[in-house]
Amino acid sequence: MIYADDSIMRKGFPATAGSKMLENFIAPFTAEVLTRLDEPAERAVLSEFGLSAPGELPSPLLCNDVFGHVRRQAAKQGLCYLRPTYGTVSRYGLIPTACSMDQIGVAAKTPSEAFALLDKIRCGDDCRPPAAPPRRAAVTPPYADVYDSVLHILAYAEISANISRYDGVKFGFRAEGYTDLDSLYTKTRTEGFGLEAKLSAMMGCLVLSREYYEIYYEKALKIRAAVKSALSFDEYDILELPVESHLAVLCGLPSLTVDGVQLAADAGGEAWLRKAVGL
Amino acid sequence: MMKKYEAMAKLDLPEDERRWIAGLAEKLLEGFAVLNDINLPQAGDAAPPVPPTDALRDDVAVKAFARDDILAAAPERYDGYFQIPKTVV
């Protein structure tokens, strides 16, 4: 049995992304990733739009993980979490959270199981098969102290834009007792969103506002670009990172969290990760 | 301060939620202040880490979703349209 987070749509079945806002939503089409599986996936409801820590994870599990909640929970349970290079797995049919970082990954009991599942769902093959054992390094990547803030600023901005579609008009929950269009929007969003979604919507409005755009959002974008351009995989193939590090998510790199460490490779370097764990 | 962004986000929070969010927002903004200490080597660009690539399909008409399928998900509908409160009185 393979599980899929409730934000991955399967035609004719509920897809709530863990939110009251979508409690009655029935998916009108099936996510590309699910069409690649040999069997229908079982629904697993984690947390609202992946914004908070999930409970016990089923395994193997397909899910998006922007904030690292799933990665940390997987590590806590002794599972591994494989996050492929950004764009490797289709996001068609994934209810969006933060589009520049959304990426369906795999939580599984072993790296072998995770890579086997990735092989089923990915588009294309590993593009850089390594000839030699990977060189590992535990160096601190550039600007490491600010990844958490950069990730939160960018994610809040994108989440705020993405969840603006939930207004009680086209799909999902609609509050009762509204008097006009504005109160329909406001009552629906106030009653339909949980606290973390409300926080994200408000913080997104803040970092994108005229007062704060340059000092928060634009600066975060520039730091992310600077991190990516300063990051070099010339002297090593695998970067050993703490489980908590957001480097891979920010830069779209593949990473494998296993045995209490997060291994990251250059974009498209899933083959290095396989080699690093003896596969 | 957060009241302004609450309105922009189309929310009208109960007082306990407003206090919780204001407290958390204050901590988040303290954390975001570290960005001010970062001097980037040059003007810096804001390009995404993975450059977008075109994945254009052939310019041909394809059948999208049927109107009824889309309307089936709407909380309220009327005569083939999404129904909302009257906006022109």
Side-chain angles (χ1 to χ4, degrees), chain A residues 149 152-153 156 203 207 216, chain B residues 28-36:
Chain A
S149 292
H152 276 82
I153 290 169
Y156 283 147
M203 291 303 293
V207 300
Y216 292 144
Chain B
L28 284 163
L29 292 174
E30 278 172 25
F32 294 172
V34 298
L35 267 60
N36 297 328

Side-chain angles (χ1 to χ4, degrees), chain B:
Chain B
M1 169 189 167
M2 292 306 288
K3 191 89 174 84
K4 174 179 167 186
Y5 302 106
E6 181 183 329
M8 287 170 74
K10 293 285 180 203
L11 295 168
D12 182 17
L13 302 178
E15 200 48 47
D16 58 332
E17 292 189 0
R18 187 171 291 142
R19 271 200 304 274
W20 184 84
I21 286 180
L24 212 50
E26 197 178 315
K27 283 187 192 145
L28 284 163
L29 292 174
E30 278 172 25
F32 294 172
V34 298
L35 267 60
N36 297 328
D37 302 331
I38 302 286
N39 291 312
L40 295 171
Q42 62 226 3
D45 67 39
V50 181
T53 51
D54 282 339
L56 301 178
R57 61 173 171 78
D58 292 336
D59 189 15
V60 292
V62 292
K63 189 167 170 53
F65 300 106
R67 172 189 278 213
D68 288 345
D69 290 344
I70 297 301
L71 282 173
E76 287 185 56
R77 50 206 168 268
Y78 177 76
D79 198 19
Y81 294 94
F82 298 116
Q83 188 171 26
I84 57 168
K86 191 179 280 189
T87 53
V88 180
V89 183

Side-chain angles (χ1 to χ4, degrees), chain A residues 157-172:
Chain A
E158 295 178 25
I159 292 165
S160 157
N162 272 323
I163 67 175
S164 65
R165 77 191 67 199
Y166 304 115
D167 57 8
V169 174
K170 297 178 289 298
F171 43 72

